Amino acid sequence: METAVLYEEVKILQDRMDEETYNHCCNVRRAAVRILQQLPEKELLDKKTLENACAILDIGKLLINEYVFHKTERFSQVERELMNLHSYLGYCIAKEQGVPGMIPEILLYHHGRDQPVLNNVPIMTEKIEQYVNVIHTVDVYEALTEERGYRAPYSPREAYDMMCGKGEYHAKALNFLYDLKL
């Protein structure tokens, strides 16, 4: 695979990640780039933007307490709500560090439309949504098939079955991910 062309601001943020978050972001980036080549949207999505957004997808987790982030049992409701803020925190970090283009907004919405309504954040545009549809699908699939402190990884088939037919995931990307993992 060719080397990613990462913005300097993105490289600096990657260096601040713990190994687990860095590896997850790299897995998402690799899969998203491979998927991009297979999708009709490839003409609409910029590969460099996609790669850079995926490379720091979960940078907001830097600001979440280490105890919560690496917990070995399931999250409480309060802990889950705290973890759900990582996309907003990532947006804030990326903006503050001068990460260019749409990348901060992609980080903000990378878990899809079901984000809490926050003050002073941009509305998800149609262009951002095109990136988010692919990235959200890859991010969730990768997370399900990776080991977590509180659970074993799901098999590719289990992850696919859990996500399939829900309507919130990019169907072609999900099918490609399933085929890729087999």
Side-chain angles (χ1 to χ4, degrees), residues 88-146:
Y88 173 70
L89 296 172
Y91 164 78
C92 293
I93 292 169
K95 289 294 275 186
E96 185 176 285
Q97 292 297 311
V99 173
M102 302 180 276
I103 296 167
E105 287 82 12
I106 293 169
L107 300 183
L108 175 63
Y109 290 106
H110 80 268
H111 280 286
R113 287 203 170 274
D114 295 336
Q115 293 297 302
V117 177
L118 301 166
N119 293 327
N120 301 318
V121 297
I123 302 297
M124 184 175 8
T125 64
E126 195 173 306
K127 186 67 173 173
I128 299 295
E129 189 172 17
Q130 291 172 335
Y131 286 92
V132 167
N133 286 339
V134 173
I135 293 171
H136 175 56
T137 302
V138 177
D139 183 36
V140 172
Y141 189 84
E142 287 296 326
L144 288 171
T145 58
E146 293 170 354

